Amino acid sequence: MAELKDDKGSDLEKKLSYKAEFAWSKFSDEQKKAARNFVLDYMVFLGEARTERERVTFAERVAQGKGFKRIEIGQEANQLKPGDKVYYINRGKNIALFIVGEKPMTEGTRFIGAHMDYPRLDLKIRPVYEKDGFALFKTHYYGGLKKYQFATVPLALTGIVVKKDGTQVLVNIGHEPDDPVFTVPDLLIHLARNYQGDRKMADVLKAEEMNALAGALQNEDEKAKERFKLNILSILNEKYGITEEDLHSAELSLVPTIAPRFVGLDKSMVGGAGQDDGSCSYLALRAVLDLNNGIPAFTVGTGLFDKEETGSNGPTGAQSSWFRQIFIDLLSRSGVKGSLTNMHVAMSSMKMISADVTAALDPSFGSVHDSQTAAIAGKGVVIEKYSGSGGKYGTNDATAEYVGFVRGVFDARKVPFQYGTLGQVDAGGGGTIAMFFSQAFNCDVVDCGVPLLNMHSPFEIAHIADLYSGYLAYSAFFTSK
Ligand code: MN
Ligand code: MN
């Protein structure tokens, strides 16, 4: 990528050394305008779709608007032809969208995977109880979070209750302006000094103290033993026709209701919940939906997964064989002769980007980062060769060859990007879905995503230049040769 003209440093230095530049100043006026519009669309998604289920619904709606057709594994196994747009959905929590390419999948596929779940408070299986004049919901935190950050903020209740006859009841309370919200109370500072003062970070609020206010009025039934609890059960029954036992077959979560907002006088950043990994999910979704250059050379796809924050387990996590099943289904519909060898050739020749966020260097906590390798907010989407922790444990570690390929692709399309790692060695670490695909498919995968501040908090921060750069990067990847 061409360097910005500046007078600092010698010519030889400029020729030989590498320095990532801030991306915004590299965009043309037209690109800046496009970036601003893109970010506005992104903020609608972020505010509207907050759980994996809501995000699948959102993705399906926009995909249908772009002419994508839903197919099911093995059903009406009609042949597909180059240019056909299809998608698969798994249990309402995964969606994968493909555009069939000119070349057979045995020659390669371009796939981007991201995750749509994010840290939140799930309701326990029997959540409602009463104490000291309140009805409360017991919660069980999901994913890695600083629990105290999810107290004293407004939370919406969202999810699904399934009755024993199979009836599905969708619950969504707290997103509309006149909806009530919920909140986990924290102890007032006046009484907290001794009680909480010496607690460590993870226990400032302990897991069993993460109880959300559900109500504070007694039911009119004076004979009832627990009138506060009964009042909540009675409202739920009136609104949704459910009883306390129905809550055992439910997935209900409390998620921050804070609406996405621009941050900074220059509106250079977006603040909002669920940008890990809603940001990369949305960019990857748009990259496939907006691919308008006729028929792509290779079959391209975006897959959006669940359960990343808890280890990618279960049928809807990235370790599930669902993706392998739809990959093979697509392979057989797209004219490749069914044989194990063809399947293996197609799997191992897939090229993938694991689109997940990484840490942006935090200006107030520089000591946990390595300033030489940390991603800087505003310098573009980040290629992260490896993640993991300690001595590179649990890392996918993309090959040098593949990182070389990807940087070539981005450079050729003048995408501003940077390279980065998550933090200082031994400071901590993290993983993504990258390794599950590289292992199951024996294919090349590299992590590449948006750097965030406040990751896993109710108000994560992404730079608008990084969001748009990510969109350009994923779009370039889809048309790579
Ligand atoms: Mn995460
Ligand atoms: Mn993530």
Side-chain angles (χ1 to χ4, degrees):
M1 157 129 307
E3 294 289 292
L4 279 186
K5 288 259 187 309
D6 76 36
D7 296 332
K8 290 185 210 107
S10 75
D11 289 345
L12 184 62
E13 211 172 13
K14 281 179 193 163
K15 191 175 158 196
L16 298 185
S17 15
Y18 165 79
K19 191 167 166 275
E21 300 291 343
F22 286 101
W24 193 253
S25 44
K26 290 183 168 185
F27 289 144
S28 64
D29 287 349
E30 204 175 303
Q31 279 179 312
K32 284 177 185 165
K33 209 172 143 198
R36 290 262 178 215
N37 286 331
F38 183 88
V39 168
L40 287 174
D41 289 346
Y42 167 60
M43 288 165 82
V44 170
F45 161 77
L46 207 58
E48 212 177 277
R50 302 190 180 216
T51 61
E52 56 280 357
R53 285 182 190 273
E54 290 174 4
R55 288 172 171 183
V56 164
T57 305
F58 181 99
E60 179 173 32
R61 192 182 72 228
V62 290
Q64 285 176 346
K66 291 271 190 173
F68 282 72
K69 299 259 180 299
R70 181 170 179 171
I71 52 176
E72 307 286 346
I73 298 168
Q75 287 180 21
E76 298 170 38
N78 54 314
Q79 291 298 296
L80 295 172
K81 55 183 190 313
D84 281 353
K85 299 171 173 186
V86 295
Y87 66 93
Y88 299 84
I89 287 179
N90 184 23
R91 294 173 165 78
K93 299 188 199 184
N94 296 155
I95 185 167
L97 313 96
F98 296 92
I99 304 177
V100 178
E102 200 71 69
K103 302 182 192 209
M105 285 170 72
T106 40
E107 289 185 34
T109 305
R110 302 286 180 263
F111 181 67
I112 302 179
H115 69 92
M116 300 207 286
D117 60 316
Y118 73 95
R120 61 186 187 227
L121 303 177
D122 286 345
L123 293 201
K124 287 196 178 190
I125 54 166
R126 196 175 313 134
V128 193
Y129 73 106
E130 69 168 58
K131 198 160 189 257
D132 305 329
F134 297 104
L136 299 110
F137 290 139
K138 282 180 176 288
T139 74
H140 191 146
Y141 66 95
Y142 172 95
L145 46 80
K146 291 179 170 177
K147 292 185 279 291
Y148 64 82
Q149 290 185 334
F150 283 74
T152 72
V153 294
L155 301 166
L157 180 67
T158 175
I160 190 169
V161 181
V162 181
K163 298 198 214 177
K164 64 183 172 187
D165 66 359
T167 315
Q168 299 190 353
V169 182
L170 292 178
V171 174
N172 193 353
I173 307 169
H175 287 323
E176 297 305 320
D178 53 350
D179 275 358
V181 296
F182 307 87
T183 195
V184 173
D186 191 3
L187 190 57
L188 68 167
I189 184 69
H190 314 68
L191 295 177
R193 280 191 209 290
N194 292 332
Y195 190 75
Q196 277 176 313
D198 294 331
R199 289 186 179 188
K200 294 246 167 68
M201 180 184 79
D203 289 329
V204 172
L205 277 171
K206 297 180 182 179
E208 298 297 342
E209 294 167 344
M210 297 299 287
N211 302 310
L213 298 177
L217 290 178
Q218 290 176 302
N219 190 270
E220 283 169 14
D221 182 353
E222 286 177 15
K223 282 191 190 151
K225 280 188 236 156
E226 298 181 300
R227 291 172 64 190
F228 289 101
K229 173 179 171 179
L230 183 63
N231 207 39
I232 295 307
L233 290 178
S234 144
I235 293 170
L236 287 173
N237 183 261
E238 221 168 88
K239 199 167 160 67
Y240 298 113
I242 54 175
T243 63
E244 185 174 24
E245 192 183 357
D246 292 326
L247 297 175
H248 293 82
S249 48
E251 290 171 8
L252 294 171
S253 305
L254 291 166
V255 297
T257 60
I258 308 167
R261 300 289 291 265
F262 282 114
V263 175
L265 276 177
D266 52 7
K267 297 187 172 179
S268 53
M269 295 162 276
V270 173
Q275 301 201 69
D276 173 9
D277 189 26
S279 58
C280 299
S281 293
Y282 184 76
L283 307 183
L285 176 66
R286 281 288 299 268
V288 73
L289 295 182
D290 295 352
L291 203 71
N292 277 331
N293 289 350
I295 298 165
F298 296 100
T299 292
V300 302
T302 286
L304 303 171
F305 298 88
D306 175 32
K307 294 279 183 286
E308 194 276 342
E309 297 294 357
T310 55
S312 296
N313 310 101
T316 55
Q319 297 199 61
S320 158
S321 68
W322 177 68
F323 185 73
R324 192 162 55 223
Q325 293 167 8
I326 61 172
F327 185 89
I328 293 165
D329 188 68
L330 199 63
L331 191 67
S332 66
R333 288 170 193 261
S334 63
V336 172
K337 266 214 169 120
S339 80
L340 262 185
T341 305
N342 278 342
M343 187 177 98
H344 292 153
V345 168
M347 287 167 81
S348 60
S349 61
M350 180 170 91
K351 285 184 164 62
M352 175 171 170
I353 282 178
S354 160
D356 204 346
V357 297
T358 187
L361 195 146
D362 186 319
S364 306
F365 297 96
S367 65
V368 299
H369 301 277
D370 168 11
S371 59
Q372 173 93 356
T373 60
I376 308 285
K379 290 195 168 183
V381 71
V382 184
I383 294 181
E384 197 169 357
K385 186 175 183 296
Y386 55 85
S387 58
S389 62
K392 298 194 177 181
Y393 291 101
T395 179
N396 165 61
D397 202 356
T399 62
E401 290 89 336
Y402 188 51
V403 175
F405 168 80
V406 173
R407 44 181 280 238
V409 168
F410 293 174
D411 248 3
R413 292 275 295 274
K414 295 195 165 39
V415 176
F417 70 96
Q418 57 183 322
Y419 307 92
T421 56
L422 186 70
Q424 286 202 351
V425 180
D426 286 345
T432 69
I433 61 171
M435 61 181 155
F436 306 124
F437 292 88
S438 59
Q439 288 163 188
F441 276 51
N442 176 30
C443 68
D444 282 313
V445 184
V446 69
D447 285 302
C448 175
V450 175
L452 295 186
L453 288 179
N454 286 0
M455 198 192 295
H456 286 200
S457 81
F459 200 64
E460 300 174 305
I461 309 287
H463 195 291
I464 57 171
D466 299 334
L467 291 164
Y468 195 60
S469 139
Y471 170 65
L472 297 178
Y474 299 162
S475 305
F477 175 74
F478 278 150
T479 54
S480 60
K481 297 286 171 260

